Amino acid sequence: MRQITVISMITLDGVIQGPGGPEEDKSNGFEWGGWAAGYDDELSDKILMEELKPASYLLGRRTFEIWEAYWPKHGEYWPAINEGVKYVFSNSRTSSDWQNTAFINSVEEIKQLKKTEGLPIHVWGSGELIQLLLENDLVDELRLKIFPITLGKGKKLFQNGAIPAAFNLKESFTNTKGLVILNLERAGKVKTGIAGA
């Protein structure tokens, strides 16, 4: 059984749209692209290097197309992204010249993929795909990088809600710029009770 890990940069108010640069995702008039700039330090760089180790990747079509235009020519920084298998969730595309790319288009195919042997499966970006994974309880781990800013508008991590689900804290870090990094593992059902009891 393979684990699906969502790796997401997120603002305090839940926005995940366009963290990497001004032109990354301007849909719906989003004007804050590149909001993640300036918050890295030695600790967050070290954590990022761990996340760039070999894995398989499950990506939505939009994220894939952004990466497809960039990473094949810049693999020296992240060799694993070219070497790893990229599973692209899409109803409109079925092929790519980027090596090690496969296309899938159903929740059932994701479930079957989880049952196979192999490297862990990382999900980067891919907001709509993350919604689908959360709705179908297919996220084993959330790695959230929470930035100390609010944007008010933009695509959100829990845009369409999520099923009630508990997570355990696996690791947490805070860097010198106020970036909080949480690694959370899926931990069964939500438990209720009286606060403070």
Side-chain angles (χ1 to χ4, degrees):
M1 181 75 78
R2 300 166 81 179
Q3 280 210 329
I4 293 180
T5 298
V6 169
I7 302 172
S8 191
M9 292 181 276
I10 181 172
T11 66
L12 288 174
D13 57 340
V15 175
I16 60 172
Q17 184 172 353
E23 304 301 318
E24 183 178 2
D25 183 356
K26 299 174 81 171
S27 60
N28 301 318
F30 188 69
E31 58 186 280
W32 297 105
W35 51 263
Y39 288 94
D40 54 330
D41 70 357
E42 187 176 334
L43 173 63
S44 56
D45 287 348
K46 181 179 177 184
I47 291 168
L48 176 61
M49 289 301 106
E50 286 295 313
E51 293 168 345
L52 299 184
K53 287 184 175 179
S56 295
Y57 307 92
L58 178 58
L59 304 169
R61 180 187 56 79
R62 288 190 194 102
T63 297
F64 173 75
E65 289 178 348
I66 292 168
W67 287 20
E68 180 185 34
Y70 181 84
W71 285 113
K73 300 171 187 173
H74 299 86
E76 67 281 355
Y77 179 76
W78 190 7
I81 193 57
N82 287 318
E83 297 163 4
V85 178
K86 294 158 284 290
Y87 298 95
V88 184
F89 192 88
S90 175
N91 291 314
S92 60
R93 284 193 61 177
T94 57
S95 66
S96 171
D97 291 333
W98 193 5
Q99 65 184 13
N100 303 319
T101 299
F103 288 82
I104 59 177
N105 63 12
S106 71
V107 170
E108 189 56 40
E109 285 179 283
I110 297 173
K111 290 178 179 178
Q112 291 304 314
L113 178 60
K114 276 181 63 67
K115 292 178 182 177
T116 62
E117 296 293 323
L119 293 169
I121 301 166
H122 289 177
V123 182
W124 295 72
S126 308
E128 289 182 24
L129 173 60
I130 292 172
Q131 306 305 308
L132 186 68
L133 295 173
L134 289 168
E135 288 166 13
N136 288 277
D137 199 14
L138 292 171
V139 175
D140 299 296
E141 184 176 355
L142 289 168
R143 292 187 187 173
L144 303 181
K145 299 178 182 184
I146 305 169
F147 289 73
I149 56 172
T150 59
L151 296 177
K153 295 181 180 178
K155 297 173 185 173
K156 301 204 171 176
L157 181 62
F158 300 105
Q159 188 89 25
N160 301 320
I163 64 165
F167 288 82
N168 285 333
L169 180 64
K170 183 178 175 182
E171 294 179 298
S172 66
F173 308 92
T174 304
N175 82 355
T176 58
K177 307 285 182 70
L179 175 66
V180 177
I181 301 169
L182 299 177
N183 292 353
L184 304 162
E185 291 182 315
R186 184 72 171 86
K189 296 180 179 179
V190 174
K191 297 174 183 175
T192 61
I194 298 172

